Amino acid sequence: MNLKRGLVVASLFGVSLPVVAADINQIQTLTQDEFHRLSQDLGAALSYKPLTPTAPLGLTGFDVGVAVTATSIKNSDVLQKAGAGDHSTLPVPSFRLHKGLPLGLDVGVMVGAVPGTNVRLYGGELRYAIVSGGAATPAIGIRGSYTKLTGVDQLDFNTKGVDLSISKGFLMFTPYAGIGKVWASSTPNGIPALSKESLSLNKVFVGANLNFGLMNLAFEGDRTGEATSYGAKLGFRF
C-alpha cells in the first residue's frame, strides 16, 4: 500500500466528503455473480476499521473521535446498477468511542453512514492485549469486531472480523500494523432469484497514531479482500 498517498486522500475526504446521492434499492436487477461482487465491495467498505494503536488504554483511558474511511470500489458498475450511483470510492464518516477496561481489555463502538444514501451502520470491537507493551517492548493484541448494515430494506448484511495487531510508541508517534480475517454475510430480502452470499476476506492494515496532549490524530491504510481503504480520525485520547 502507498500509505503516504493514502493518508493525503483520507485527509482530503475528512475536509470535504463527496455526496453519493443515491440509495441501494435495485438489488433485484442483479445477477447472482453481480450480487456476489456487490457483497465483496460492501464487505471491504463496511467492515470494522480499527483506527487506533494496539496498546491498551488502561482502566481510566478513553479514545473518542470522528473519522472517515474511503474505500476504492472494485465493481462500481454493479454498485451503480444496485442504485447507489456512479462512483468509484465509498466514503464512510463515523463517530467512534473506545474505553479501557481491566486486565488489558479495551472495548470500542462506532456508528456511521454513507452520505447521500440509505446506508447506515454500527459496530464495535473487543480487544485483548496479549502483551501490554512498554518502553522497550511493543504491544501485541487480538481483536474481535462486528458491523451491521441498516437502512437498506433489500439487504441483511453484517461482518465479523478477527485480527492480530502490534504497535510501538515513540514519544507522540505510534505506528501499528495487523493482519486478520473478515467474514461477510449478505442476504437479499424479498428477492427469490438471489441467494445468500457468505464471504471470507483476508485483511491487512497499517497505521500511525499521533498524540498532541489531549488532541489525537490517527491515519490508516487497509486492504480487505481486493479493495483498498484509507482512513483518518481526529479526536481525543487520554
Side-chain angles (χ1 to χ4, degrees):
M1 278 184 259
N2 187 335
L3 182 58
K4 182 177 179 181
R5 174 175 170 269
L7 299 185
V8 173
V9 172
S11 298
L12 289 176
F13 272 115
V15 173
S16 179
L17 289 174
V19 175
V20 180
D23 288 345
I24 297 178
N25 56 13
Q26 297 296 318
I27 292 177
Q28 75 278 4
T29 66
L30 304 182
T31 66
Q32 188 66 42
D33 176 68
E34 289 171 333
F35 182 63
H36 175 82
R37 289 187 283 144
L38 173 68
S39 300
Q40 284 183 316
D41 281 338
L42 292 179
L46 304 183
S47 58
Y48 193 84
K49 310 297 189 295
L51 286 165
T52 187
T54 307
L57 287 164
L59 185 57
T60 61
F62 281 90
D63 185 333
V64 59
V66 291
V68 62
T69 60
T71 302
S72 296
I73 299 301
K74 301 295 290 185
N75 303 282
S76 58
D77 57 330
V78 176
L79 196 60
Q80 182 179 9
K81 186 176 178 181
D86 183 13
H87 56 89
S88 59
T89 301
L90 204 62
V92 183
S94 61
F95 173 79
R96 292 166 177 264
L97 172 66
H98 290 83
K99 175 68 179 75
L101 300 175
L103 305 176
L105 292 169
D106 283 15
V107 63
V109 294
M110 61 83 67
V111 292
V114 177
T117 76
N118 57 349
V119 174
R120 308 285 184 269
L121 73 153
Y122 62 87
E125 68 160 91
L126 181 65
R127 188 174 71 252
Y128 171 64
I130 302 169
V131 179
S132 295
T137 58
I140 301 172
I142 187 168
R143 175 188 0 255
S145 62
Y146 176 83
T147 63
K148 171 69 174 177
L149 170 68
T150 65
V152 181
D153 294 337
Q154 292 186 326
L155 188 61
D156 184 1
F157 185 92
N158 68 75
T159 73
K160 300 176 181 69
V162 63
D163 65 72
L164 182 70
S165 65
I166 184 170
S167 70
K168 178 67 178 75
F170 302 93
L171 298 177
M172 67 179 186
F173 176 67
T174 305
Y176 62 92
I179 57 172
K181 273 280 195 183
V182 171
W183 294 272
S185 174
S186 183
T187 304
N189 289 329
I191 307 174
L194 296 178
S195 301
K196 177 181 177 179
E197 293 284 347
S198 297
L199 307 173
S200 177
L201 307 172
N202 293 324
K203 177 185 181 71
V204 60
F205 59 93
V206 295
N209 190 84
L210 293 90
N211 191 267
F212 304 94
L214 288 181
M215 191 179 76
N216 196 77
L217 291 169
F219 301 98
E220 186 174 294
D222 175 286
R223 178 83 172 181
T224 298
E226 297 182 357
T228 300
S229 304
Y230 297 105
K233 183 180 72 174
L234 172 64
F236 303 94
R237 183 181 177 91
F238 52 90

